Amino acid sequence: MVAQLDAALAHVLADRAAVRAGDADDLLRNALGEGRSLEAVADLAGHAGGTKTAATKAATRAGDATAVLAALGGVVEAGVGFDPFVVDRVDPGALVDVISAAEGAKNALCAVQARAEVLLMAQQRLTQARAGIETNKLGQGVGTQIGLARAESPHRGRQLGELAQVLVRELPHTLTALGTGVLNEYRAGIIARETVFLTQDHRAAVDELLCADPRQLSGWGNRELAARARNAAYTLEPEVFVQRLEKAETDRYVSLRPAADGMTLLTALLPLRHGVKVLATLTRIADSAKAAGDVRGKGQLMADTLLHRLTNHTPCTPHPNPKPGPAGLLEPSGTDRRNPRTGVSAVTDAWVASCTQVVEPEILVELIMTDRALFDGANDPAILAGYDPIPAPTARTWILGTTTSRESSGNNDGSGDGRGGGRVSRVWLKRLFTHPDNNILLAMDSKARLFPEGMKEFLRLRDQRCATPWCDAPIRQYDHIKAYAAGGPTSTSNGQGLCTACNQIKETPGWHTHTNHPANPDPTVDHYADNTSPTNHGTTADGATLPGTRITTPTGHHYTTQPPPLPGATDRSSIQRC
């Protein structure tokens, strides 16, 4: 069947190439008959020669495709090169249904595997206990057995066994979603990972919130799912969540590992705000270089800028009159005392402290949080646009320059965080208005008068990531839902943020995007990717469905998505303070 389709495609392309070659010959003959200039005739002759060569190559490829089809025993109709009856009977819609059903079956089998793995671990622990093995050694080797059975490493086998234990014993709704095919094993692992620090009761609450209604999982990409799980976990145990983030900042590091073709991967694990600012700086410099005519690609420019900044960095020089710092590294001028911890002079310590100090650069970072969380101590999580939710206390620290409990109680023996001080960033506030029932962005006011840029900002803050279901890519382009050429207005209700690939796919024949308004429902729509849920965004207080975006693929399948909610409790009586 694949050979039939390949042969049909090759012959279609050969026919198109032959038509182009014939058109080029006609143009050349007409030019000669009209007595055009020698230069024009020469250009047309070159074009005709190129199209003939392309047509010859296309015809050769079509003949080869037919030969392969015949060698495989396929039916070849004389003069056509393939079997049109077989080719025309292929139903692309049915193939998409098969792919979807097979994915669901794979996920359901993962749930069966998880239950079997838990039973195996329980049985092996019992067997080992009966054999007299010490209590703290019960279960040894079971992860290796699971890895061998699944053709995985022992380490991966232990990870899969631990995930199975969590799913079966603590996340029943997630396991049910896996068993019904709505979640795959990796996405189930995301929920388990993001709730690992919660108590068993709170973990069960997050499990019910996210997976009790599997419909709301449709359309969420991996990052979106992780963000929602993290947000729910933070709502239940904010103090523990904040401590977890503060502890994570002490684990920052840089590593290097080999990549293919003589390349390497330089990885830096950084706090979110610093990583965003580093990327923003590299992006800004690359964009400026491209605008100035640099022929390198954007990625190449960013990599070259990073390398230049790191390898050509001018060494920092300490202040001529160093003062004692928080870790006791700097000494007054005129002394040459040795630091008892490092054994080097104070001047050297001053250089080290100066050259490793982290400051807050003047780069725009869009942080979305409620006025209650910023000014009144409410516990609503904040969102760094395009990234994950962050705790309200951490967001207040970034904006107001205050310190969290862990930072304010740090020691002065040189064994603390060691990042040094930094200036407080300048802050601009802008009001955002969200729907009272679901927190979807409705309106925004700004002093900016550049309508296109203001509208882009609105769409970026509203959609946060590419609006295509399951696509977590950053927003790169802004597009009309209903094409401008087709009469679609340039408005926020008819706009969406997309990644470059998804925006280009929209231009492929057969793809259609509509504003899916509940006032005009389409009974033919299969809400396979509908984010609508009675427990979260997508509905109003009276149960009415909110507008979304509906995508129709060339096979006739429909997928509906809605923007994610912004921070803030929809039930104002449930606001917590921290």
Side-chain angles (χ1 to χ4, degrees):
M1 182 63 72
V2 173
Q4 289 280 5
L5 293 172
D6 288 344
L9 174 61
H11 281 276
V12 168
L13 295 178
D15 292 342
R16 285 169 48 179
V19 170
R20 285 195 294 268
D23 292 341
D25 282 339
D26 292 341
L27 289 174
L28 179 59
R29 283 194 296 269
N30 292 337
L32 290 173
E34 295 171 357
R36 294 188 186 180
S37 66
L38 184 61
E39 292 182 357
V41 172
D43 289 341
L44 289 173
H47 175 64
T51 56
K52 284 182 180 179
T53 301
T56 301
K57 291 181 178 180
T60 301
R61 286 193 290 268
D64 293 342
T66 298
V68 171
L69 175 59
L72 294 174
V75 177
V76 178
E77 184 174 321
V80 179
F82 56 93
D83 188 349
F85 177 76
V86 172
V87 170
D88 293 340
R89 291 188 62 186
V90 176
D91 184 356
L95 293 176
V96 172
D97 291 337
V98 169
I99 294 171
S100 177
E103 183 66 22
K106 283 166 45 181
N107 296 341
L109 288 175
C110 286
V112 174
Q113 273 187 322
R115 291 187 174 94
E117 288 163 2
V118 172
L119 286 174
L120 175 64
M121 286 184 280
Q123 191 277 333
Q124 288 291 285
R125 288 172 61 87
L126 175 61
T127 299
Q128 291 174 0
R130 287 174 173 172
I133 294 180
E134 299 177 12
T135 302
N136 61 350
K137 294 183 179 180
L138 294 179
Q140 279 190 344
V142 182
T144 301
Q145 293 184 62
I146 293 173
L148 291 171
R150 297 187 58 168
E152 298 278 5
S153 67
H155 175 71
R156 179 59 179 161
R158 288 190 291 272
Q159 289 181 327
L160 293 169
E162 292 170 358
L163 174 60
Q165 289 275 24
V166 172
L167 291 175
V168 173
R169 298 182 184 275
E170 300 183 28
L171 300 174
H173 294 292
T174 303
L175 182 62
T176 299
L178 179 63
T180 55
V182 177
L183 281 178
N184 59 34
E185 188 175 44
Y186 178 79
R187 289 162 63 81
I190 290 175
I191 298 176
R193 182 187 70 234
E194 297 300 337
T195 58
V196 67
F197 63 93
L198 297 178
T199 64
Q200 187 168 348
D201 290 342
H202 284 164
R203 199 174 205 180
V206 174
D207 175 52
E208 181 177 4
L209 177 66
L210 295 180
C211 299
D213 181 9
R215 293 178 302 169
Q216 68 178 344
L217 294 169
S218 297
W220 294 355
N222 293 339
R223 287 179 57 189
E224 178 73 9
L225 178 62
R228 290 177 181 272
R230 194 175 297 121
N231 185 57
Y234 166 70
T235 302
L236 293 172
E237 296 189 25
E239 294 183 358
V240 177
F241 192 93
V242 171
Q243 293 174 5
R244 182 190 182 195
L245 263 62
E246 292 174 353
K247 171 61 171 64
E249 289 200 7
T250 65
D251 297 330
R252 58 192 184 278
Y253 68 89
V254 176
S255 66
L256 185 71
R257 63 183 188 274
D261 303 322
M263 304 294 284
T264 58
L265 292 170
L266 177 66
T267 302
L269 182 65
L270 303 173
L272 178 61
R273 63 190 183 279
H274 294 146
V276 170
K277 291 171 182 175
V278 168
L279 183 63
T281 301
L282 296 175
T283 301
R284 175 174 52 82
I285 295 173
D287 289 341
S288 299
K290 291 293 291 183
D294 198 302
V295 297
R296 288 173 290 179
K298 184 175 180 179
Q300 292 175 321
L301 286 166
M302 294 173 69
D304 293 346
T305 302
L306 176 65
L307 185 62
H308 176 82
R309 291 287 179 102
L310 292 177
T311 57
N312 291 1
H313 172 58
T314 303
C316 300
T317 56
H319 192 277
N321 295 306
K323 299 178 181 179
L329 295 177
L330 308 186
E331 296 287 347
S333 59
T335 64
D336 190 23
R337 300 179 185 176
R338 296 281 171 172
N339 187 294
R341 180 172 61 84
T342 63
V344 296
S345 68
V347 173
T348 302
D349 273 342
W351 173 82
V352 172
S354 177
C355 212
T356 59
Q357 187 179 52
V358 177
V359 297
E360 303 292 342
E362 293 292 347
I363 296 174
L364 175 63
V365 173
E366 293 173 323
L367 187 65
I368 309 170
M369 63 188 305
T370 64
D371 53 349
R372 301 182 301 273
L374 179 58
F375 299 115
D376 197 28
N379 209 23
D380 304 330
I383 293 177
L384 192 57
Y387 295 87
D388 298 330
I390 57 176
T394 302
R396 284 194 291 272
T397 297
W398 295 4
I399 295 176
L400 303 178
T402 58
T403 58
T404 59
S405 58
R406 182 181 296 269
E407 291 170 338
S408 61
S409 60
N411 53 52
N412 294 323
D413 60 0
S415 60
D417 185 77
R419 284 175 291 173
R423 65 180 184 274
V424 178
S425 298
R426 289 184 290 177
V427 176
W428 289 265
L429 299 181
K430 182 173 294 183
R431 289 178 292 175
L432 306 177
F433 300 93
T434 60
H435 194 285
D437 292 322
N438 51 64
N439 290 344
I440 293 178
L441 184 61
L442 297 179
M444 176 181 66
D445 75 340
S446 173
K447 294 183 179 180
R449 289 295 181 261
L450 298 176
F451 177 74
E453 292 302 320
M455 187 163 51
K456 288 179 182 179
E457 182 181 19
F458 181 97
L459 295 174
R460 184 174 63 253
L461 296 178
R462 184 195 67 185
D463 294 342
Q464 300 177 36
R465 301 182 181 94
C466 177
T468 302
W470 293 291
C471 182
D472 285 328
I475 293 174
R476 299 300 185 197
Q477 298 177 355
Y478 302 89
D479 189 56
H480 294 77
I481 296 175
K482 181 180 180 181
Y484 180 80
T490 302
S491 63
T492 54
S493 60
N494 190 49
Q496 60 180 348
L498 297 171
C499 67
T500 302
C502 290
N503 193 27
Q504 293 174 346
I505 287 174
K506 281 186 58 184
E507 304 303 320
T508 305
W511 287 84
H512 303 283
T513 307
H514 310 69
T515 299
N516 188 46
H517 199 284
N520 300 292
D522 186 343
T524 65
V525 174
D526 172 18
H527 292 282
Y528 180 68
D530 193 350
N531 289 359
T532 301
S533 162
T535 61
N536 206 330
H537 77 287
T539 58
T540 61
D542 57 3
T545 304
L546 288 168
T549 302
R550 188 185 72 190
I551 299 173
T552 303
T553 68
T555 60
H557 290 76
H558 305 279
Y559 305 87
T560 304
T561 183
Q562 290 171 332
L566 294 184
T570 55
D571 179 5
R572 304 308 185 196
S573 63
S574 63
I575 298 173
Q576 300 180 9
R577 302 291 194 274
C578 66

